[in-house]
Amino acid sequence: MNASSISIFSFLYLFLLCSACSDNQEGKVVTVTSFPQTLALTAQVKMVPVPFLLPRYIGITDDRLFVYKEREKDLFEFFSLPDCAYIGSAGTRGSGPDEFVSLLDPRGFQKLDSGFGVFESRINIFKTLKYQDGNLEVVQTKNVMQPEQTNGYYPLQDGTFVTLGNLIESKEYFLHDGKKQDVIQKIDYPQWISGQEEYDGITLTFAYMKQCGVHPERNKFAAFYTYFKRLRIYDKDMTLRHDVDVKIEPYHANFVAGEDNRKSPLYYTGQPQTVSNLIYALCLNAEAGGAEAKCNPELHVFDWDGNPVACYKLDRRVSLFTISEKHRKIYAIDNLSDNEIYIYDLPEMK
């Protein structure tokens, strides 16, 4: 091969390399058509002695599994790990020091090194909780903002936090300065729906319903959409960095608004889980007809650059899940089955 041929070959190689890299430019839509690893997982079914009526969150604290039940007298059920042996109930409503005045927002639960954090909606107070000796204690409280109703609570770095769009303004996110209690940025909705300029705040909030997660270092924010098979990743300043369209069947891109919204399939539901440098999101793949429609649930795994990592096909209908790195387990429940916990082995990444 002569020198000119080598030069031409090198130029073509660099051109192709740069073209491939352009597909991952920050903020540009990237299409995912497959996952590098796809596995079918089979659950071990654990029967529980107390029913879960309207479970809203499942998490892990101090090597215990807990389930938050929104409408019951006892708000939490606790189980030992790894086998989910039942421990007991805790947490009640009331105005006492270790009680809860209002509902807990499932989007405001936070993993902590010891205990866990919850966000009391309507009064906008963040509480740090510790379960020990059969009691759930409030060890710290923090007034997050003025006592007006917000939509979600996602703390980021430098005392800032994100809330989701409200029913009045047609904005998708609000970035707050927690110290000054000011809104420092308002972020627009995407333009994925034909004629959405005619939608009001209520319709947009519903159409772009999403499940969100924050990077463990609080420098990134991810959103997985319920009515679109898409995710977006932002930095701590809420600048869009990665916009990912998961074009894997079943796939439907036309949201149906108004009274006919049950004609729209459901994709990402339940709160995503962040483990190390990965995000796990539950993709229900439910047919049109609402939450009780036929579904093919999967766990989708991405890194924080929006790259697909793995897809785990689940043999049970799942509504909520959490992950134990220590025990290499996935723990899940279905809000249509009130007495079962599903335990999956967490596969090793290839």
Side-chain angles (χ1 to χ4, degrees):
M1 184 179 292
N2 59 36
S4 61
S5 298
I6 293 174
S7 298
I8 294 172
F9 178 80
S10 299
F11 175 79
L12 289 174
Y13 175 79
L14 290 172
F15 175 79
L16 291 172
L17 180 63
C18 291
S19 298
C21 292
S22 69
D23 289 339
N24 289 304
Q25 289 178 355
E26 292 184 346
K28 181 179 178 180
V29 178
V30 174
T31 300
V32 169
T33 57
S34 64
F35 286 88
Q37 181 182 18
T38 299
L39 296 173
L41 304 186
T42 301
Q44 172 193 347
V45 181
K46 178 74 175 183
M47 306 300 295
V48 298
V50 290
F52 303 138
L53 303 180
L54 196 60
R56 296 296 306 279
Y57 186 86
I58 181 172
I60 294 173
T61 178
D62 301 322
D63 209 30
R64 300 184 184 93
L65 185 78
F66 69 88
V67 177
Y68 167 58
K69 309 174 301 179
E70 188 171 83
R71 298 293 183 182
E72 298 186 50
K73 177 183 177 182
D74 296 312
L75 300 179
F76 294 89
E77 302 292 350
F78 288 87
F79 304 83
S80 63
L81 296 180
D83 298 327
C84 294
Y86 181 63
I87 299 175
S89 304
T92 57
R93 300 206 185 283
S95 56
D98 293 322
E99 296 179 322
F100 302 93
V101 176
S102 64
L103 298 177
L104 305 182
D105 189 334
R107 299 164 298 182
F109 280 74
Q110 291 184 31
K111 299 177 184 177
L112 302 174
D113 292 336
S114 180
F116 61 101
V118 300
F119 181 66
E120 277 202 75
S121 58
R122 298 191 179 92
I123 61 173
N124 294 340
I125 291 180
F126 182 78
K127 292 183 175 181
T128 300
L129 310 180
K130 180 76 174 178
Y131 181 75
Q132 53 190 3
D133 301 325
N135 297 312
L136 186 62
E137 300 176 1
V138 177
V139 298
Q140 187 178 10
T141 62
K142 176 184 177 182
N143 292 316
V144 175
M145 64 191 89
Q146 296 298 321
E148 56 189 25
Q149 189 168 0
T150 58
N151 188 8
Y153 171 64
Y154 302 96
L156 298 175
Q157 289 182 352
D158 305 321
T160 63
F161 63 90
V162 174
T163 60
L164 306 185
N166 56 41
L167 304 183
I168 302 173
E169 294 187 70
S170 296
K171 298 293 181 180
E172 186 170 25
Y173 303 108
F174 296 86
L175 180 63
H176 302 255
D177 183 328
K179 298 175 183 177
K180 297 180 181 180
Q181 295 196 348
D182 289 336
V183 175
I184 56 180
Q185 189 176 176
K186 300 178 181 181
I187 295 90
D188 291 327
Y189 281 98
Q191 298 290 320
W192 297 341
I193 304 172
S194 176
Q196 79 175 46
E197 61 276 1
E198 304 296 329
Y199 288 9
D200 57 17
I202 296 176
T203 307
L204 284 172
T205 300
F206 183 81
Y208 289 105
M209 187 182 301
K210 61 191 70 69
Q211 319 300 324
C212 305
V214 176
H215 190 281
E217 296 180 3
R218 297 188 180 180
N219 60 346
K220 296 179 182 179
F221 174 90
F224 294 80
Y225 291 82
T226 299
Y227 294 106
F228 300 90
K229 214 168 187 178
R230 300 185 68 150
L231 65 134
R232 283 183 154 192
I233 298 175
Y234 298 79
D235 64 17
K236 66 182 181 64
D237 299 316
M238 290 304 289
T239 300
L240 179 62
R241 296 302 184 189
H242 306 285
D243 192 348
V244 182
D245 191 0
V246 186
K247 286 191 175 180
I248 300 175
E249 293 297 331
Y251 181 86
H252 179 83
N254 298 318
F255 174 76
V256 181
E259 295 181 357
D260 292 331
N261 62 67
R262 288 175 63 88
K263 295 180 181 179
S264 296
L266 301 179
Y267 296 116
Y268 292 108
T269 62
Q271 300 304 306
Q273 300 292 318
T274 58
V275 177
S276 298
N277 200 38
L278 299 174
I279 323 167
Y280 292 73
L282 175 62
C283 186
L284 196 59
N285 287 322
E287 297 178 356
E292 298 183 9
K294 181 181 177 182
C295 65
N296 295 287
E298 300 171 337
L299 275 188
H300 289 177
V301 188
F302 294 87
D303 66 20
W304 283 93
D305 290 324
N307 297 310
V309 176
C311 172
Y312 301 137
K313 297 180 178 294
L314 308 179
D315 67 333
R316 298 280 177 163
R317 183 188 181 93
V318 166
S319 305
L320 302 168
F321 77 101
T322 191
I323 292 174
S324 169
E325 286 186 276
K326 175 181 177 180
H327 300 292
R328 303 295 304 173
K329 300 289 186 184
I330 302 166
Y331 297 96
I333 57 177
D334 175 17
N335 56 19
L336 299 181
S337 178
D338 62 6
N339 64 346
E340 295 178 340
I341 296 176
Y342 308 130
I343 307 173
Y344 294 93
D345 291 327
L346 182 62
E348 296 287 347
M349 292 296 174
K350 293 183 178 180

